[in-house]
Amino acid sequence: MISFFAGFALSASLIVAIGAQNLFVLRQGLKKEHVGPIVLFCGLSDAVLIIAGVSGMGALLAAFPQVAKGFTLAGAEFLFWYGMRTLRHATQSESMTVTQDASVPLSKALASVAAFTWLNPHVYLDTVLLMGTASTAQPLHLRPFFAAGAASASFSWFGALGV
């Protein structure tokens, strides 16, 4: 159980930072729109990334820094584009109002959250590299419990944020 809670605590400490993904989930929760699928997508994505990190993907990315650099550049480009779009939107007087009639199709909402999740360079640093490295402090047979705890924190956080 100690490994489970170590994974949970580390993941919880990393995931609560408010970034583009968390803001999107919060906004969709306030709109009460596609909350279940978005929360499930975010939780499953984190679980995949956590398992990849605990399984050694972090070591692989460290061995091939050009791959990590490619992820970082693609993510930075996406976040810059989204930031500029958001800045332009923020200049509108109704930008801070969450309205029920500004509905987006589920496919567009999932595409947006997928971009926030998979193009974010911090997700690879935090979830894959840091979680993967931290998991090496656990005995090999306890690493699945560490990963389960970390994934549980993600599902808990996204569920609470969406609600």
Side-chain angles (χ1 to χ4, degrees), residues 39-54:
V39 165
L40 183 61
F41 180 88
C42 291
L44 288 173
S45 293
D46 264 13
V48 166
L49 291 163
I50 289 164
I51 290 168
V54 172

Side-chain angles (χ1 to χ4, degrees), residues 27 83-97:
R27 185 159 197 247
M84 294 307 291
R85 187 179 136 228
T86 302
L87 182 62
R88 188 173 57 242
H89 179 69
T91 60
Q92 299 170 355
S93 62
E94 69 279 352
S95 66
M96 295 304 290
T97 305

Side-chain angles (χ1 to χ4, degrees), residues 15 17-27 38 41-43 45-46 49 78-79 82 112-118 120 123 157-158 161:
I15 200 165
I18 298 296
Q21 180 192 41
N22 284 341
L23 287 175
F24 184 81
V25 174
L26 180 61
R27 185 159 197 247
I38 288 171
F41 180 88
C42 291
S45 293
D46 264 13
L49 291 163
F78 168 75
L79 291 175
Y82 186 76
S112 295
V113 79
F116 293 135
T117 302
W118 293 95
N120 182 351
V123 77
W157 172 253
F158 288 121
L161 198 58

Side-chain angles (χ1 to χ4, degrees), residues 25-26 28-32 35 39 156-163:
V25 174
L26 180 61
Q28 291 303 113
L30 290 171
K31 290 169 58 174
K32 297 183 184 342
V35 177
V39 165
S156 298
W157 172 253
F158 288 121
L161 198 58
V163 172

Side-chain angles (χ1 to χ4, degrees), residues 55-116:
S55 299
M57 181 63 133
L60 181 66
L61 287 176
F64 296 100
Q66 62 273 25
V67 175
K69 186 177 181 179
F71 281 130
T72 300
L73 291 174
E77 185 177 312
F78 168 75
L79 291 175
F80 177 77
W81 168 80
Y82 186 76
M84 294 307 291
R85 187 179 136 228
T86 302
L87 182 62
R88 188 173 57 242
H89 179 69
T91 60
Q92 299 170 355
S93 62
E94 69 279 352
S95 66
M96 295 304 290
T97 305
V98 176
T99 59
Q100 198 63 23
D101 54 32
S103 181
V104 297
L106 176 60
S107 60
K108 186 175 180 182
L110 286 174
S112 295
V113 79
F116 293 135

